[in-house]
Amino acid sequence: MKISNLQLTVVGIPRHTGFVSKHVIVEIMTDEGITGIGEMSDFSHLPHYSLDVADLTAVLKNILIGKNPFDLSLINKELLSNFPETMFYYEKGNFIRNGIDAALHDLCAKSLNISVADLIGGRLQEKIKVCYPIFRHRFMEEVEENLEVVRQRFKQGFDVFRLYVGKNLDADEAFLDAVQSEFGSKVTIKSLDFSHLLDWKQAWQAVKRLSAYRFQMVESPAVQNDFEGLAHFRMKVDHPVSEHVWSFRQQYEMIKHDSVDIFNISPIFIGGITSARKAAAAAEVAGKGCLLGTTQELSIGTAAMAHLGSSLTNLTYTSDPTGPELYVADIVQNPVKYENGYLIVPGRDVPGLGMQLDWEKIEQYKVPNLSWGNVSVHQLQDRTAQTKA
């Protein structure tokens, strides 16, 4: 079996906040008539530049056409040469490699008539505990808005939440106090996520202030790649510390400096299922736990994470992939399912990732390119369309 063609389709899907996230649907075709699908998820991030999709398509065709899709290691090596790691959290080359790698896994599993989870080693679990994100407060009036999000999502079965913090600590504290007062132990705050907005000393001061409230861990409490600062922070707080993995050099440095307790691993940030499995194995060797991170994918990207997570032996913490719940629509016929706060791993009865494209939805949300126009920095950081000053 040989790869015969590749197609990239850009869609812009609004979130319930109003922010429009752009994703690239990947289709890899073969000479045997089997097509694998993947997702380059949520390109609408800083840094504030976009890619030329026609040029990207030509480059990827040059790499892929004629290859055996089962040559995953060889193809990933060539992809890494063309789209290298840069030690940056939102490196778009990682997004590109992730979409291609997911489509290759989907393709290979389909050709064997098995699920991706079975292709990469088998399932240890059929569902993964996840949390719902509460986006960062900039203004005090957003506290009640976010409290209402908790109320509505709690009714749907989500009882664990992740809180982005660091821009308005008064609002963060008011929100935590309101949640604790209204829900008590029925709702868990998984983490305070600083997203590298503060240096480690500022984050430490913030955590000391917010420690009057219950939460399980602290995420990204230092500027990017400040491994020593992250280690200093970890030694000063009582809570476990988590950080994303966005390059193998960065993960090596975090292990070397003993900077974290938990590795936040997501295919989108490390460049695909293949790389995410390596990162999870490195974490296991280092004696660290893992959780599945997210950039808020659609169902294809989320399904890829579900298959990955189902096969990991050291997935020891509540994970983050609730992206499909954040959008007003999806581009597959059978979106991933959530039940009682768990992401359900697509079943063995449908091969590959278990997703089928919905071309009516794709045509509805299809856009010509990945550019953003006048989207502001705070919108890209906070994933909101609000225009408050």
Side-chain angles (χ1 to χ4, degrees), residues 6 8 40 51-61 83 96:
L6 167 107
L8 303 180
M40 300 176 186
L51 300 168
D52 182 284
V53 176
D55 182 66
L56 178 60
T57 301
V59 170
L60 290 171
K61 282 184 176 181
F83 306 100
I96 293 165

Side-chain angles (χ1 to χ4, degrees), residues 264-277:
N264 183 319
I265 295 173
S266 175
I268 186 69
F269 292 127
I270 192 61
I273 295 172
T274 299
S275 293
R277 292 178 68 201

Side-chain angles (χ1 to χ4, degrees), residues 130-183:
V130 294
C131 62
Y132 194 87
I134 301 298
F135 291 101
R136 192 168 284 107
H137 298 99
R138 292 180 296 124
F139 308 99
M140 188 61 74
E141 56 264 36
E142 292 171 332
V143 170
E144 180 57 35
E145 296 171 11
N146 280 334
L147 190 58
E148 184 61 25
V149 172
V150 174
R151 295 184 186 112
Q152 295 303 317
R153 294 299 177 174
F154 182 74
K155 290 178 183 178
Q156 292 179 285
F158 292 100
D159 59 354
V160 183
F161 295 84
R162 174 168 58 105
L163 177 63
Y164 288 91
V165 297
K167 276 198 173 179
N168 187 328
L169 289 176
D170 290 338
D172 295 337
E173 185 172 22
F175 173 82
L176 289 168
D177 186 73
V179 169
Q180 187 165 300
S181 296
E182 183 169 339
F183 293 95

Side-chain angles (χ1 to χ4, degrees), residues 113-231:
N113 198 35
I114 61 175
S115 74
V116 166
D118 292 327
L119 177 72
I120 61 177
R123 300 164 185 244
L124 297 173
Q125 53 189 326
E126 297 292 340
K127 60 182 182 179
I128 297 167
K129 185 65 176 177
V130 294
C131 62
Y132 194 87
I134 301 298
F135 291 101
R136 192 168 284 107
H137 298 99
R138 292 180 296 124
F139 308 99
M140 188 61 74
E141 56 264 36
E142 292 171 332
V143 170
E144 180 57 35
E145 296 171 11
N146 280 334
L147 190 58
E148 184 61 25
V149 172
V150 174
R151 295 184 186 112
Q152 295 303 317
R153 294 299 177 174
F154 182 74
K155 290 178 183 178
Q156 292 179 285
F158 292 100
D159 59 354
V160 183
F161 295 84
R162 174 168 58 105
L163 177 63
Y164 288 91
V165 297
K167 276 198 173 179
N168 187 328
L169 289 176
D170 290 338
D172 295 337
E173 185 172 22
F175 173 82
L176 289 168
D177 186 73
V179 169
Q180 187 165 300
S181 296
E182 183 169 339
F183 293 95
S185 61
K186 293 184 292 183
V187 160
T188 298
I189 301 297
K190 187 201 81 170
S191 62
L192 305 183
D193 189 342
F194 286 92
S195 301
H196 318 111
L197 288 180
L198 305 181
D199 65 35
W200 75 267
K201 290 183 179 180
Q202 293 171 320
W204 175 43
Q205 294 296 325
V207 168
K208 284 199 296 183
R209 174 177 175 179
L210 299 177
S211 287
Y213 304 96
R214 295 186 298 270
F215 54 91
Q216 294 180 334
M217 68 181 72
V218 182
E219 297 193 74
S220 305
V223 296
Q224 288 188 41
N225 300 320
D226 180 9
F227 310 112
E228 291 182 355
L230 197 57

